[in-house]
Amino acid sequence: MLDSRETQLIRAFILGFPVKHSRSPLIHNYWIRQLGLHGVYEKVEVAPENIRAFFDRLRSSESGFVGGNVTIPHKEAAAACADHCDDVVREIGAANVLWLENGRLYASNTDAAGFLACLDEEAPGWDKTQRAVVMGAGGASRSVVYALRQRGLSEIHVVNRTLDRAQELVDRFGAKVHAHQMDSIGEVIAGAGLFVNTTSLGMGGSNVPELPFDRMASNGVVNDIIYTPRLTPILMQAARAGRVSVGGLGMLLHQAVPGFEKWFGQRPEITDTLRQMIISDVDRET
């Protein structure tokens, strides 16, 4: 008997609002072609007021999807609506991977693992520091702070425009995390070995204030999880200050692998060809 994966079209999605900017379909459909699978990965745009109805249709199999990725602004709703969340989702409070099992909706979060894999690959030894600064306190910062705590960093400083949002991460992740307003960044970045931007600053040509990267440790690493443009204003500032800069493309690629394996049954590889394909697409836009 043929495996059902050979005879039925396997459909997965990237869910967001908006979602047109996502490069996830390029990645997953590339893997589908390379592995010779009978599948497709599609963009699905759903407004927040309709998100619960979408999850109900997904759970009932009415949508025809086996699962998918979730991006802004639906990650917290995905965690709340799932029938079963793994330990990472429960700690972070957000999900970016969904799949169906026996009529139940399961949720996981691969953002933290993707973030760590990216840094390990592009800046080996980055985690020898004990002091990190995370700019922003939105959904993405939760995954980053969780990952840094899991890796064992002893000081994680979250700077944000509003102190209350940063304090929420302290309440969620514990004593190693410290909350600050943006005007404290010059103080908290002094001696830090890692800086991570989790905000939208620099996306779409938006203005970015000058950041004091020269106060970081001399071998400090600056990571911007934005991948459009590929060379963001924050990364350009880091390079001028002589610090190692790491863009967001690696995180995007690494977080995609476990979800693909869950939906399509094979573990894909991140190849130079795939990376160059995404880089070319991003560069055409910018």
Side-chain angles (χ1 to χ4, degrees):
M1 179 180 294
L2 290 175
D3 188 280
S4 62
R5 295 181 191 277
E6 299 177 17
T7 59
Q8 297 179 3
L9 181 69
I10 306 168
R11 296 176 64 217
F13 60 79
I14 174 68
L15 170 70
F17 187 79
V19 76
K20 63 181 180 180
H21 66 282
S22 175
R23 264 63 180 193
S24 291
L26 286 176
I27 297 168
H28 289 278
N29 286 317
Y30 171 85
W31 284 331
I32 288 169
R33 293 191 301 272
Q34 291 301 109
L35 294 168
L37 301 175
H38 189 48
V40 65
Y41 184 96
E42 307 169 33
K43 294 179 182 179
V44 176
E45 187 166 287
V46 177
E49 61 267 25
N50 299 321
I51 193 63
R52 287 189 175 272
F54 174 82
F55 289 139
D56 287 343
R57 291 183 66 245
L58 175 63
R59 185 183 287 106
S60 70
S61 297
E62 181 185 345
S63 68
F65 291 113
V66 298
N69 284 124
V70 183
T71 188
I72 296 171
H74 298 316
K75 292 184 180 184
E76 291 179 35
C81 292
D83 299 308
H84 181 272
C85 297
D86 66 13
D87 290 342
V88 182
V89 173
R90 283 192 286 269
E91 286 214 48
I92 294 176
N96 77 315
V97 175
L98 298 173
W99 70 96
L100 291 172
E101 284 188 26
N102 301 317
R104 291 171 60 82
L105 187 59
Y106 284 69
S108 185
N109 192 307
T110 63
D111 284 336
F115 167 75
L116 292 176
C118 172
L119 284 179
D120 289 341
E121 179 180 62
E122 299 188 38
W126 68 270
D127 53 353
K128 292 179 180 178
T129 186
Q130 289 301 308
R131 187 181 184 90
V133 177
V134 178
M135 187 165 73
S141 64
R142 291 187 183 190
S143 296
V144 169
V145 170
Y146 170 85
L148 296 176
R149 192 193 63 177
Q150 292 298 103
R151 189 55 70 92
L153 273 69
S154 58
E155 287 184 51
I156 304 165
H157 298 270
V158 179
V159 292
N160 195 57
R161 286 179 300 174
T162 56
L163 186 61
D164 287 349
R165 289 297 302 276
Q167 185 61 42
E168 289 175 9
L169 274 76
V170 177
D171 297 340
R172 178 175 289 273
F173 294 112
K176 292 183 178 180
V177 185
H178 309 275
H180 310 271
Q181 289 185 297
M182 281 295 295
D183 57 8
S184 300
I185 196 166
E187 176 185 350
V188 300
I189 206 172
L194 177 69
F195 176 94
V196 185
N197 174 45
T198 69
T199 75
S200 60
L201 281 175
M203 185 181 289
S206 61
N207 292 328
V208 177
E210 198 68 29
L211 297 166
F213 292 132
D214 58 323
R215 300 185 188 180
M216 293 180 68
S218 59
N219 62 344
V221 176
V222 175
N223 174 220
D224 193 341
I225 68 170
I226 292 173
Y227 60 89
T228 54
R230 190 158 49 95
L231 186 59
T232 68
I234 285 175
L235 295 181
M236 287 190 283
Q237 287 186 28
R240 289 197 296 271
R243 278 22 180 207
V244 176
S245 59
V246 177
L249 179 58
M251 179 179 174
L252 174 71
L253 291 167
H254 283 286
Q255 65 81 29
V257 171
F260 185 94
E261 184 177 21
K262 180 69 68 175
W263 310 313
F264 297 104
Q266 295 193 42
R267 190 168 183 86
E269 293 184 2
I270 299 171
T271 61
D272 288 340
T273 300
L274 172 61
R275 192 181 294 270
Q276 288 304 314
M277 183 183 73
I278 304 301
I279 287 172
S280 296
D281 187 74
V282 169
D283 287 349
R284 276 196 300 271
E285 180 182 293
T286 55

